[in-house]
């Protein structure tokens, strides 16, 4: 199994910055991609950003130019640097990873427990 643990959430004023981290551990053979999703109260979970092993990234339109995703492959850790935060960024942020646990494993999607981000106006 693979465990994901997020950290770095909290309360910040609009215009401020936060950096989220997500560390993967367990029986990891390889990680194909890692990403961040968020879920605001009463809304569906949505993709924020994703990074592939080769370093390619994609972002939700709502965060382009404000958020940056990065990854430390040696540490199996993904980061989300969030700047120019807005009240509408308030949500629970979840990390996910598509990982394999052996050569024969086609891979599964794993999720963290989430970290709260609150942006006050």
């Amino acid at each position: 199994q693979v465990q994901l643990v997020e950290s770095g959430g909290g309360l910040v004023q609009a215009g401020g910055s936060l950096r989220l981290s997500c560390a993967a551990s367990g029986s990891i053979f390889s990680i194909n991609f890692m990403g961040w999703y968020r879920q605001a109260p009463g809304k569906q979970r949505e993709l924020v950003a994703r990074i592939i092993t080769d370093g390619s990234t994609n972002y939700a339109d709502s965060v382009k130019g404000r958020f940056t995703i990065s990854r430390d492959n040696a540490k199996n850790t993904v980061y989300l640097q969030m700047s120019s935060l807005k009240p509408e960024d308030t949500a629970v942020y979840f990390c996910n990873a598509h990982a394999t646990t052996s050569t024969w494993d086609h891979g599964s999607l794993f999720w963290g427990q989430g970290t709260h981000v609150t942006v006050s106006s």
Side-chain angles (χ1 to χ4, degrees), residues 2-15:
V2 176
Q3 295 80 41
L4 300 177
V5 178
E6 302 103 333
S7 61
L11 173 64
V12 63
Q13 287 188 332

Side-chain angles (χ1 to χ4, degrees), residues 10 12 22 25-26 34 37 39 47 50 53 58 66 71 96 98 118 120:
V12 63
C22 172
S25 63
M34 299 185 79
Y37 280 70
Q39 187 166 16
L47 173 69
R50 179 184 296 146
T53 304
N58 61 286
R66 299 189 298 121
R71 178 175 168 180
N96 76 351
H98 186 271
T118 302
S120 63

Side-chain angles (χ1 to χ4, degrees), residues 56-111:
S56 59
T57 59
N58 61 286
Y59 295 90
D61 288 343
S62 59
V63 306
K64 284 181 181 177
R66 299 189 298 121
F67 291 9
T68 302
I69 190 170
S70 60
R71 178 175 168 180
D72 185 332
N73 290 331
K75 296 181 179 180
N76 289 328
T77 298
V78 65
Y79 306 96
L80 185 68
Q81 179 66 47
M82 305 185 293
S83 302
S84 302
L85 283 161
K86 305 175 181 180
E88 50 263 43
D89 294 318
T90 295
V92 179
Y93 283 71
F94 298 90
C95 167
N96 76 351
H98 186 271
T100 64
T101 58
S102 70
T103 303
W104 307 276
D105 181 13
H106 293 291
S108 299
L109 193 61
F110 298 92
W111 290 89

